[in-house]
Amino acid sequence: MSELDALVDELDRRLADADAALAAYYPGDRGVRQPVHTVYVPADQYDAGTVRGWAEEAKAALGRHGGSAAELADALELPAGLAVEVYERVRAKLDREPIEDLRIDFEDGYGTRPDEQEDAAAVDAARSLAETVKAGAAPPYHGLRIKSLEAPTRRRGVRTLDLFVRELAGAGALTDGFVITLAKVTSVEQVEAMMLVLSATEQAHALPAGSLKFEIQIETPQAILGADGTALVARMIRAGAGRVTGLHYGTYDYSASLGVAAAYQSMDHPVADHAKDVMQLAAAGTGVFVSDGSTNVLPIGEREAVHAAWRLHLRLVRRSLARGIYQGWDMHPAQLPSRFVATYLFYREGLESAAARLRAYVGEGESGYLDEPATAAALAGYVLRGLECGAVEMSEVDKLIGVDAAGLTKLARRPLRS
């Protein structure tokens, strides 16, 4: 054995623990699609027709206030050259898949009710969701938000989760797309407690160990900066031990907790940017998705008010996308048009440039860029996200880049799922 071989063997021994920790804590992309939004519906307003009802309301709003590509382009100041293709794709999306991720809300959107009332709502909502799952009509991602594990709401949150899962499991309607959102997390210990709750729930309803997943809602300052001065959100992901799938920013609870006046609480306030920067850093490389929050300015009322709300929503969604946050919340059916317009515009505007750079990267031409592997992966991830949400078609990927879906996925460094 040479001296160099001996040295490297020694490095392997010294770094074995660090190597194992890196692989365990930063496994990379999970190999699944990230939804572009999460739609929140209060539990008492949800039934098996909710998704189709949202689609019809969204299409009606688009018809009333943006009845043609030209009309919508004028109202939202869209690039003329992209208006038609974006508009037609949005209309098709509202028919095909109006909601990508649905969350039946038993927290702030539902409020505090008598126990027997929430019990009944949990059972009814779960049965309705099961009906849509079995009919193939449920959004690809779906689930519920429960009340927090803080002392006043702890028992209620756990009971609602148990009732909901019992109904879904009994109906054979628990899917890989099922996810639970845990609200107002303030400590690592609450994440550890949620792990115990999920394990007990799986045992109680004969579910495979580790099958229940959850998202952490970041809407308290304690989640961003603990009493010891550390960023607890990173420790929360680690405590989740593979069950945590997302970090969701809560715009209004978080801003209010920091004393921001109501008129200035927004997704683009500096305190929001700081929180989301910390969330992105904590989630990087872990396979955990980051989601922005919502805007409470709804596109309802007179035409001018609807257009103004759509312009605001479009700007905020595009801002999030540009910052590398590919998901947000929608709270009203009339927000779906502006969500998909903003999202599709983001992917359509950059498609040709990204495709040219990828084509050059795989050795099929020149782009004027010397892209490194990490940048090529980001370019491929961008195109892949556009493909998954409907902004881009596979025929375009083949024509512009010269790769198939598997090739694009490999370039994006996303694991191929069998």
Side-chain angles (χ1 to χ4, degrees):
M1 177 183 294
S2 70
E3 291 184 2
L4 181 59
D5 290 335
L7 173 60
V8 174
D9 286 346
E10 176 62 20
L11 293 180
D12 287 342
R13 287 190 291 271
R14 287 174 178 262
L15 295 175
D17 288 346
D19 291 342
L22 183 66
Y25 302 141
Y26 300 97
D29 198 306
R30 297 204 312 273
V32 298
R33 162 191 179 186
Q34 181 177 10
V36 303
H37 67 170
T38 300
V39 161
Y40 275 81
V41 178
D44 58 338
Q45 298 176 26
Y46 172 76
D47 60 32
T50 293
V51 172
R52 184 42 50 196
W54 269 60
E56 294 305 319
E57 287 190 51
K59 288 190 289 185
L62 183 60
R64 283 194 303 270
H65 305 294
S68 69
E71 185 179 346
L72 191 66
D74 183 60
L76 302 187
E77 302 172 359
L78 305 180
L82 290 173
V84 173
E85 57 188 83
V86 167
Y87 186 79
E88 293 304 322
R89 282 174 170 79
V90 169
R91 289 183 59 184
K93 180 74 167 180
L94 293 176
D95 282 328
R96 182 185 70 254
E97 191 182 61
I99 295 176
E100 294 193 4
D101 185 24
L102 171 70
R103 206 66 75 247
I104 302 167
D105 190 15
F106 287 90
E107 207 243 345
D108 282 351
Y110 180 76
T112 302
R113 313 283 182 95
D115 279 340
E116 61 273 16
Q117 190 173 339
E118 184 162 338
D119 284 352
V123 171
D124 288 346
R127 288 175 177 171
S128 293
L129 179 59
E131 180 182 338
T132 66
V133 168
K134 297 180 82 171
Y141 295 93
H142 48 264
L144 77 163
R145 176 168 71 166
I146 63 171
K147 292 177 172 64
S148 79
L149 291 183
E150 293 193 339
T153 55
R154 186 175 298 149
R155 183 176 296 273
R156 182 65 262 177
V158 173
R159 179 171 176 79
T160 295
L161 176 61
D162 181 71
L163 288 169
F164 200 98
V165 171
R166 183 189 70 187
E167 291 296 326
L168 277 186
L174 272 173
T175 73
D176 290 341
F178 180 72
V179 64
I180 303 147
T181 303
L182 180 62
K184 296 179 175 61
V185 179
T186 56
S187 67
V188 176
E189 288 78 8
Q190 286 182 359
V191 174
E192 294 169 343
M194 186 63 170
M195 299 287 285
L196 177 62
V197 168
L198 297 183
S199 179
T201 303
E202 289 164 349
Q203 292 179 23
H205 302 297
L207 300 173
S211 59
L212 294 177
K213 309 294 185 182
F214 72 107
E215 301 162 336
I216 299 172
Q217 197 156 0
I218 305 297
E219 50 185 339
T220 68
Q222 291 85 1
I224 296 298
L225 188 69
D228 62 355
T230 62
L232 295 191
V233 63
R235 291 168 54 196
M236 288 175 182
I237 292 175
R238 181 171 173 179
R243 286 194 191 260
V244 175
T245 61
L247 303 175
H248 283 230
Y249 178 66
T251 306
Y252 299 98
D253 280 82
Y254 187 85
S255 299
S257 295
L258 270 65
V260 177
Y264 298 96
Q265 294 172 8
S266 175
M267 293 160 60
D268 60 352
H269 191 282
V271 302
D273 285 343
H274 172 261
K276 288 177 285 189
D277 285 345
V278 174
M279 291 163 61
Q280 284 181 279
L281 283 168
T286 66
V288 173
F289 294 149
V290 175
S291 174
D292 212 328
S294 63
T295 173
N296 60 4
V297 180
L298 301 181
I300 57 177
E302 299 297 325
R303 188 179 184 83
E304 292 76 12
V306 171
H307 286 172
W310 275 350
R311 285 193 296 270
L312 173 65
H313 192 216
L314 185 145
R315 180 180 67 79
L316 290 172
V317 171
R318 284 177 58 81
R319 184 178 188 272
S320 297
L321 291 167
R323 292 174 66 87
I325 301 177
Y326 298 102
Q327 185 176 354
W329 298 2
D330 291 328
M331 314 298 285
H332 190 278
Q335 289 182 322
L336 298 184
S338 46
R339 165 70 61 182
F340 293 127
V341 167
T343 302
Y344 285 12
L345 191 61
F346 175 75
Y347 291 112
R348 299 302 302 174
E349 281 184 323
L351 175 61
E352 289 193 4
S353 174
R357 292 171 68 174
L358 281 171
R359 193 174 187 90
Y361 181 79
V362 298
E364 296 294 334
E366 297 292 337
S367 68
Y369 290 87
L370 183 61
D371 287 317
E372 297 182 352
T375 301
L379 289 164
Y382 167 85
V383 176
L384 185 57
R385 288 177 183 275
L387 182 65
E388 289 171 332
C389 72
V392 176
E393 297 170 13
M394 193 61 232
S395 59
E396 294 179 291
V397 174
D398 181 45
K399 177 182 177 181
L400 294 172
I401 306 174
V403 298
D404 59 11
L408 184 64
T409 301
K410 184 177 181 180
L411 282 169
R413 297 182 179 175
R414 182 184 293 185
L416 289 169
R417 294 172 66 87
S418 57

